[in-house]
Amino acid sequence: MGEDQLIAWFTRNPAGPASRGAGCVMLPPMLAFRLAAACLLAALPLAAGAKTLRYASQDDPQTLDPHSANLLATSRLTANVYEPLVWRDKAWKVIPWLATSWTQPDDRTWRFRLREGVRFHDGSPFTADDVVFSVGRALSPTSQLKVALQGVEKAVKVDALTVDLVMREPNPVLLSHMTNFRIMSKAWAEKHGATRPQDYTAKEDTYAARNANGTGAFLVKERQTDVRTVLVAHKDWWGHKAGKNEGNLTEVVLLPIKSNATRLAALLSGEVDFVIDPPTQDVARLRAAPGLKVQEGSEMRVQYVAFDLFRDDLLYGKAGGKNPFKDLRVRQAVAHAIDAEAIRTKVMRGFAKPVGSLLVPGVQGYAADADKRLPYDRERAKKLLAEAGYPDGFEVTLDAGNIQPAADIAQAVAAMLSQVGIRVRPNIVPQSAYFPKIEKFDTSFYVLSWGPGVTADALYTLQALLHTYVKAKGEGDFNMGRWSIARMDELIQGLQVEKDMAKRDALAREAMLLMGRELPLVTIHQPLIPWAMKKNVSAWSSPVNTVYFYTVRVD
């Protein structure tokens, strides 16, 4: 029996030979994967005329709670299930969504008129009560999405379809921030004891972390963590009548396939239709493969390494009872020792652009003259280390998640720093444990990437990464090194209230110049996006590296 015949037999008989009393069958790894994938997909019944997209990624969404973890893998899923009041078009301009219009009666009030006829996935109507509830929930202490409501004090119901957002202080770019604020059903959350966000950092388990009830184009039919998530089209989605549905999908099967080789093999063999994160070293092969295509774009995201700048001694390392990173010369040495161009060519296979700023073109506040890297210079790095009192270097652990390219970047950075005397031990942590670890400041040196998300505004990034950590206010949420400098806080607080766009750009520029001088983190590159898919699949390449399934077609 040939491979294709064997796969067809297993698809009809997913229990396999064991169901007929046969002994164990040893299979080659690729064939074993194809058999598993065939059986898995065979178990999903397809209606006549159904259009299913089998979507693979190396990382499984960490939670279904839309106000819990501010992480890319999570938002890729929740953005298709939950919706904001305002959204973006393909030119990345803010447009009405669950709200049809808005006004500002005064500097402290934004009034939103809500869309009529919208229903949650459980059939209940969407009203102002849900917005008021969701605002309070997103501003609660366990939420990582407080920045999406920067400046908002509370929401007040005006009538069933009108709500006011009362501002603590004016926010001139509130609408941009609110593209990342998603609405939950108040009644559903109360029914299931999910009125506050899951505490993701504490690894809390809640009903909303495993179940969902949004208003979006797709609803969650099945969720098996680290196995598969199945979405089906929301037949009563308001977007059908409003002309928002550009796609034709009836079902999406999300498959986390952590191994690069296995994920690639699944696409090449036809077991999946779309891979959002193909290994960069294999993109050329995918371009040449019959029946496949690669779609490229730029991502508003920056990869970087950052330091613990709070403790007086390294938590993970040996440096004579000191924390070398508290010395600017050591941070400068790290920057000089990292060859970003080599990482671009060798690790990223050209799918990256070296950068010196946390802001990239397309983000409000980007300044080209603040986008400067310290040059790659080993000898200068060695000299700086000696001046700082570390002529023989020191030892330190570099933490990174086990997804690519972060894990490979950690290995590359470790090798580069070893050339100047900093002996780095890469610690590659499963992604599900990585963020809870570093969010508890359980790190001395770490790899991370960050983008402004759908907000496309400097404040979103600077407040999260560079402001002094103040958990209650959602400031410095991802400042895991707990760096703190008064001038940076002043600049960020100015961005929170400044209305004049030219002045806002000047504040963001000064913040990036300050970061470049003080180096609380060292930027490496802006990744470029390759998406790999079957030729019969079409999808909009968003600048936030997220597939919005209502735009996808399978022909």
Side-chain angles (χ1 to χ4, degrees), residues 214-272:
T215 60
F218 288 83
L219 59 90
V220 177
K221 177 183 177 182
E222 178 183 346
R223 170 71 171 158
Q224 295 184 48
T225 304
D226 289 326
V227 178
R228 70 181 181 192
T229 302
V230 180
L231 306 180
V232 294
H234 180 200
K235 295 179 181 178
D236 293 327
W237 184 45
W238 63 269
H240 294 302
K241 292 181 180 179
K244 302 297 184 182
N245 189 33
E246 303 170 26
N248 66 351
L249 299 182
T250 54
E251 182 177 64
V252 182
V253 182
L254 296 95
L255 300 169
I257 305 175
K258 298 189 187 305
S259 163
N260 283 339
T262 305
R263 198 164 61 258
L264 177 65
L267 181 64
L268 289 167
S269 63
E271 269 74 38
V272 301

Side-chain angles (χ1 to χ4, degrees), residues 37-270:
C39 294
L40 174 67
L41 296 170
L44 303 173
L46 301 181
K51 296 290 185 178
T52 295
L53 181 76
R54 298 165 299 179
Y55 164 109
S57 171
Q58 63 181 317
D59 198 13
D60 196 47
Q62 293 90 345
T63 178
L64 297 183
D65 191 319
H67 304 137
S68 175
N70 190 8
L71 303 172
L72 178 59
T74 290
S75 65
R76 281 174 173 165
L77 175 55
T78 57
N80 283 287
V81 176
Y82 291 95
E83 296 183 293
L85 296 181
V86 295
W87 184 225
R88 294 189 180 274
D89 62 16
K90 290 186 177 179
W92 219 235
K93 302 297 183 184
V94 173
I95 58 173
W97 208 249
L98 288 182
T100 56
S101 63
W102 48 87
T103 58
Q104 281 188 272
D106 56 64
D107 282 350
R108 300 280 176 165
T109 308
W110 288 75
R111 177 161 293 174
F112 292 88
R113 181 64 185 174
L114 307 182
R115 191 176 296 276
E116 296 184 40
V118 176
R119 292 194 173 273
F120 286 97
H121 296 155
D122 64 0
S124 61
F126 159 69
T127 71
D129 291 328
D130 302 304
V131 178
V132 172
F133 166 75
S134 295
V135 167
R137 192 176 192 273
L139 290 175
S140 63
T142 54
S143 169
Q144 291 185 4
L145 273 296
K146 289 186 279 291
V147 69
L149 292 169
Q150 172 60 45
V152 175
E153 180 180 349
K154 62 181 178 179
V156 176
K157 176 181 177 180
V158 177
D159 60 42
L161 290 174
T162 308
V163 65
D164 284 349
L165 295 192
V166 179
M167 307 300 292
R168 184 177 60 253
E169 67 257 349
N171 180 355
V173 290
L174 177 66
L175 294 179
S176 289
H177 290 177
M178 287 182 63
T179 55
N180 209 29
F181 164 58
R182 307 192 183 279
I183 307 299
M184 286 186 76
S185 162
K186 178 177 184 287
W188 181 84
E190 290 177 341
K191 177 181 178 181
H192 296 291
T195 55
R196 67 171 181 82
Q198 167 204 25
D199 188 340
Y200 178 73
T201 302
K203 299 184 179 180
E204 182 183 21
D205 183 29
T206 68
Y207 189 84
R210 294 175 279 104
N211 300 273
N213 181 39
T215 60
F218 288 83
L219 59 90
V220 177
K221 177 183 177 182
E222 178 183 346
R223 170 71 171 158
Q224 295 184 48
T225 304
D226 289 326
V227 178
R228 70 181 181 192
T229 302
V230 180
L231 306 180
V232 294
H234 180 200
K235 295 179 181 178
D236 293 327
W237 184 45
W238 63 269
H240 294 302
K241 292 181 180 179
K244 302 297 184 182
N245 189 33
E246 303 170 26
N248 66 351
L249 299 182
T250 54
E251 182 177 64
V252 182
V253 182
L254 296 95
L255 300 169
I257 305 175
K258 298 189 187 305
S259 163
N260 283 339
T262 305
R263 198 164 61 258
L264 177 65
L267 181 64
L268 289 167
S269 63

Side-chain angles (χ1 to χ4, degrees), residues 278-337:
T280 53
Q281 67 269 23
D282 293 308
V283 169
R285 178 185 175 192
L286 293 171
R287 283 199 189 102
L292 298 181
K293 63 182 179 182
V294 175
Q295 192 166 300
E296 297 179 20
S298 296
E299 184 178 6
M300 292 190 295
R301 177 168 291 272
V302 171
Q303 191 89 49
Y304 62 91
V305 295
F307 318 96
D308 172 11
L309 297 175
F310 184 79
R311 296 180 178 90
D312 291 327
D313 190 7
L314 287 176
L315 186 61
Y316 298 105
K318 294 180 181 179
K322 298 180 180 180
N323 179 352
F325 296 133
K326 297 189 85 169
D327 191 314
L328 174 60
R329 292 167 295 186
V330 173
R331 303 196 298 274
Q332 290 172 333
V334 170
H336 280 300

